Amino acid sequence: QVQLVESGGGLVQAGGSLRLSCAASGWISNSNTMAWYRQAAGNERALVAIINSRGDTEYADFVKGRFTISRDNAKNRIDLQMNNLKPEDTAVYYCKAFGVPRDWWGQGTQVTVSS
């Protein structure tokens, strides 16, 4: 059993910053690739950023240069630093852990960016 708990969402003005955290517990280790996804109302869930066990990262084009994903292996946690937020970043943000034979998702945290 794996549990992922996101935190750090909220309401922020355009141009502001937020830092999301995802605390992982259970059958998960530093070898799991982790990621942040987001889902805006009426849209499909989309990959935002991903980080593997070595710390290699990839970002969606729409967040490159603004968001940074990081992981703290000692704390079994990943973070998403979001800067220069835009109204179009408004969405529920989900943490995901890739595993075998299945992946796990957190419950999501709402991020709302006002113009």
Side-chain angles (χ1 to χ4, degrees):
Q1 188 72 15
V2 171
Q3 187 176 22
L4 302 174
V5 180
E6 300 98 335
S7 61
L11 173 65
V12 65
Q13 287 188 333
S17 299
L18 282 175
R19 188 175 184 89
L20 305 182
S21 291
C22 172
S25 61
W27 290 82
I28 194 166
S29 72
N30 301 335
S31 64
N32 289 86
T33 293
M34 305 283 292
W36 287 98
Y37 284 71
R38 72 186 190 187
Q39 187 168 18
N43 291 348
E44 294 185 352
R45 197 169 295 189
L47 176 67
V48 174
I50 190 167
I51 185 166
N52 66 14
S53 60
R54 297 188 304 272
D56 302 321
T57 59
E58 292 185 11
Y59 297 90
D61 286 342
F62 50 80
V63 303
K64 279 182 180 177
R66 300 188 298 123
F67 291 11
T68 302
I69 188 172
S70 61
R71 68 189 300 160
D72 185 334
N73 290 332
K75 296 182 179 179
N76 254 2
R77 191 183 82 195
I78 64 167
D79 293 336
L80 185 68
Q81 178 65 43
M82 306 186 295
N83 297 328
N84 190 22
L85 283 160
K86 304 175 181 180
E88 52 263 42
D89 294 319
T90 295
V92 178
Y93 284 72
Y94 296 91
C95 175
K96 178 180 179 179
F98 292 82
V100 177
R102 58 158 292 181
D103 304 326
W104 297 275
W105 291 91
Q107 83 287 351
T109 185
Q110 176 71 45
V111 171
T112 303
V113 185
S114 63
S115 58

